[in-house]
Amino acid sequence: MADLQALAEAVINGDRDEVARLAQGAVDEGVGPESIVNEGLIIGMNEVGRRFKANEFYVPEVLIAARAMHAGMDIVKPLLTESGVEPRGTVGIGTVQGDLHDIGKNLVAMMLEGGGYEVIDLEVDVPPDAFVSAVNEHSLDIVALSALLTTTMPSMKDTIDALAAAGVRDGVKVMVGGAPLTEAYAEEIGADGYAPDAASAVDLAGELLGAS
Ligand code: B1M
């Protein structure tokens, strides 16, 4: 019988080989890909997020765990597509113009993927117009903006303004995050939501799209 708790623990321990072995074992036993993601990989990453928030884990452990989670996702992803499980939504994520920090953004992207969203990663130093193009090209449900510098936070507002100027603001939700951000700043620039960390970002995406 597939042990999804052990899979979650292997993610927490950052044991990439064990994650791959257990995920493949679960697939071979006929466990559905959604269960493998929701009851194994995500449970593990949620705990990693909790430990990071509580200063029990630091960045290297988080990245090693995220890499391990990806080893599981690599096995499960093709099956999710095959089984016709609809993504919960499409998210375009990027670090805003002028900002090259991508560790947190990558964690958020991975957690959203693990949470069942299709994620279009626009990478770093993304100008407002590139977010607008992505909304049109990929029919995004959510635009997710990350910033780590106080000097690049205004680029989030520029991006929201560019979405409005292009006439696409009403059709997408905008979520923002990054170490220097606050809920108050998110409100001030007209974002739809702010998440302080990667685990909360998944919850927020669900709330913004009206899912449970
Ligand atoms: Co830079 N850097 N950095 N840096 N760097 C900071 C951010 C800084 C606080 C360091 C300091 O001075 N104490 C400071 C910013 C000061 C400020 O603006 N107030 C700073 C500076 C000044 C700079 C440079 C200007 C330095 C220089 O060249 N003089 C320069 C800028 C380059 C540029 O971007 N144009 C620079 C460069 C770099 C490196 C390239 C060396 C490297 C980045 C490598 C990379 O990302 N590939 C780097 C790093 C690593 C850091 C620190 C040390 C760590 C950032 C990090 O990855 N944290 C950082 C100091 C610190 O934070 N202790 C610092 C771990 C990561 C998991 O957390 O990114 O916060 P974080 O993401 C979290 C949440 O914020 C949230 O979820 C994540 C996971 O829980 N989150 C979201 C993030 N995005 C989200 C989006 C969401 C929701 C949640 O929804 C869309």
Side-chain angles (χ1 to χ4, degrees):
M1 169 106 185
D3 188 348
L4 297 178
Q5 179 59 37
L7 180 59
E9 267 157 34
V11 170
I12 297 165
N13 296 332
D15 189 339
R16 184 164 54 165
D17 294 342
E18 184 68 355
V19 168
R21 193 184 69 75
L22 289 168
Q24 188 60 58
V27 169
D28 294 345
E29 282 180 36
V31 179
E34 314 89 319
S35 304
I36 298 173
V37 173
N38 293 328
E39 293 161 39
L41 302 174
I42 298 262
I43 299 282
M45 271 321 275
N46 281 347
E47 175 59 14
V48 170
R50 191 199 65 72
R51 291 187 192 185
F52 183 68
K53 267 193 238 171
N55 291 325
E56 292 166 21
F57 266 17
Y58 295 96
V59 174
E61 284 120 318
V62 174
L63 293 179
I64 291 166
R67 195 183 57 173
M69 184 193 84
H70 254 270
M73 283 302 292
D74 286 347
I75 288 166
V76 169
K77 221 173 175 182
L79 300 169
L80 282 172
T81 326
E82 253 173 46
S83 69
V85 174
E86 284 292 313
R88 295 170 74 185
T90 305
V91 183
I93 190 167
T95 305
V96 296
Q97 188 162 37
D99 201 323
L100 302 175
H101 295 84
D102 70 353
I103 298 173
K105 184 267 296 169
N106 290 345
L107 284 176
V108 174
M110 279 183 215
M111 291 293 285
L112 285 168
E113 253 182 24
Y117 293 87
E118 183 179 353
V119 176
I120 312 292
D121 190 348
L122 304 169
E123 308 287 345
V124 295
D125 191 15
V126 184
D129 285 354
F131 282 106
V132 172
S133 303
V135 169
N136 292 325
E137 191 181 331
H138 301 285
S139 305
L140 300 180
D141 299 300
I142 297 179
V143 171
L145 308 174
S146 179
L148 260 287
L149 299 171
T150 45
T151 49
T152 57
M153 285 162 59
S155 185
M156 294 181 145
K157 173 150 181 13
D158 295 344
T159 303
I160 292 172
D161 290 347
L163 293 169
V168 298
R169 175 67 184 93
D170 291 342
V172 287
K173 299 291 182 187
V174 177
M175 59 191 266
V176 296
L181 267 89
T182 59
E183 188 90 55
Y185 186 76
E187 262 178 46
E188 185 187 317
I189 63 173
D192 297 302
Y194 157 76
D197 55 62
S200 319
V202 180
D203 296 340
L204 175 62
E207 282 164 30
L208 292 178
L209 298 184
S212 57

